[in-house]
Amino acid sequence: MLSQKSRYALKALLELARNMDEPSIMIGDIAERQNIPRKFLEQILLELKHRGILHSRRGKHGGYAMLKDPAEVTFGAVVRIFDGPLAPLPCLSRTAYRRCDDCDSESSCDLRRVFSHVYHATMDVLDHTSLADAINGVEMPPIE
């Protein structure tokens, strides 16, 4: 399940991506427009800045703006920043792999086989859908 932090991060990024014509948007404006608690949003935006997705400006016209092109920022990348690996089982993770404690054989594990399909379908959608795709209403192909 998607964490609240990831949901807020995606909502904030979509707000910033929709308003690329503005030099920057103040945290309070993003929080109000997207109904996100300001203190929580501050932490999220700071993390996205440290990851090179956003940049910030100080002063009267300060705030946050996209550093990366919205077409280069995928939903999968953002979710991984805040939620870690997306694999439903540790034995499927590419970045945090570990064998399941109760597993005798990964090659014959029915759970692994079924959840592998879920994992790959999820990864395909999240890693191939950018902020720009979402803003532009790009239709996703049906999952078979």
Side-chain angles (χ1 to χ4, degrees), residues 8 15 19 24 30 35 40 42 44 53 57 60-61 69-70 78 80 84 86 99 107 113-114 125-127 129 133:
Y8 286 161
E15 180 68 28
N19 294 285
S24 62
I30 298 168
N35 196 27
F40 200 27
E42 288 173 0
I44 291 167
I53 296 172
R57 292 186 177 161
K60 184 178 178 182
H61 301 288
D69 183 322
V78 175
R80 280 188 198 90
L86 300 175
R99 189 179 180 102
S107 62
R113 184 174 36 81
V114 171
V125 171
L126 294 178
D127 286 339
T129 304
D133 293 334

Side-chain angles (χ1 to χ4, degrees), residues 3 26 44 46 48 62 71 74-75 90-91 104-105 109 129 141-142:
S3 72
M26 293 173 42
I44 291 167
L46 190 59
L48 292 168
T74 66
F75 276 61
C91 63
D104 294 329
S105 169
C109 178
T129 304

Side-chain angles (χ1 to χ4, degrees), residues 11-103:
K11 288 174 73 172
L13 286 168
L14 289 166
E15 180 68 28
L16 289 164
R18 276 189 208 95
N19 294 285
M20 292 282 291
D21 55 327
E22 296 182 40
S24 62
I25 303 175
M26 293 173 42
I27 291 175
D29 291 337
I30 298 168
E32 185 178 322
R33 292 177 195 172
Q34 294 299 320
N35 196 27
I36 302 171
R38 184 186 169 115
K39 284 291 184 189
F40 200 27
L41 182 59
E42 288 173 0
Q43 298 168 5
I44 291 167
L45 296 179
L46 190 59
E47 180 65 30
L48 292 168
K49 178 183 173 185
H50 290 309
R51 299 292 182 121
I53 296 172
L54 301 178
H55 67 93
S56 64
R57 292 186 177 161
R58 293 180 182 234
K60 184 178 178 182
H61 301 288
Y64 281 87
M66 296 295 300
L67 182 60
K68 283 192 171 184
D69 183 322
E72 296 174 7
V73 181
T74 66
F75 276 61
V78 175
V79 172
R80 280 188 198 90
I81 289 170
F82 296 102
D83 293 350
L86 300 175
L89 297 172
C91 63
L92 291 171
S93 178
R94 289 182 282 178
T95 58
Y97 170 85
R98 74 173 169 75
R99 189 179 180 102
C100 296
D101 296 333
D102 60 348
C103 186

Side-chain angles (χ1 to χ4, degrees), residues 1-7 10 79 83 86:
M1 181 159 25
L2 192 64
S3 72
Q4 193 66 22
K5 206 170 207 179
S6 286
R7 284 176 46 87
L10 289 165
V79 172
D83 293 350
L86 300 175

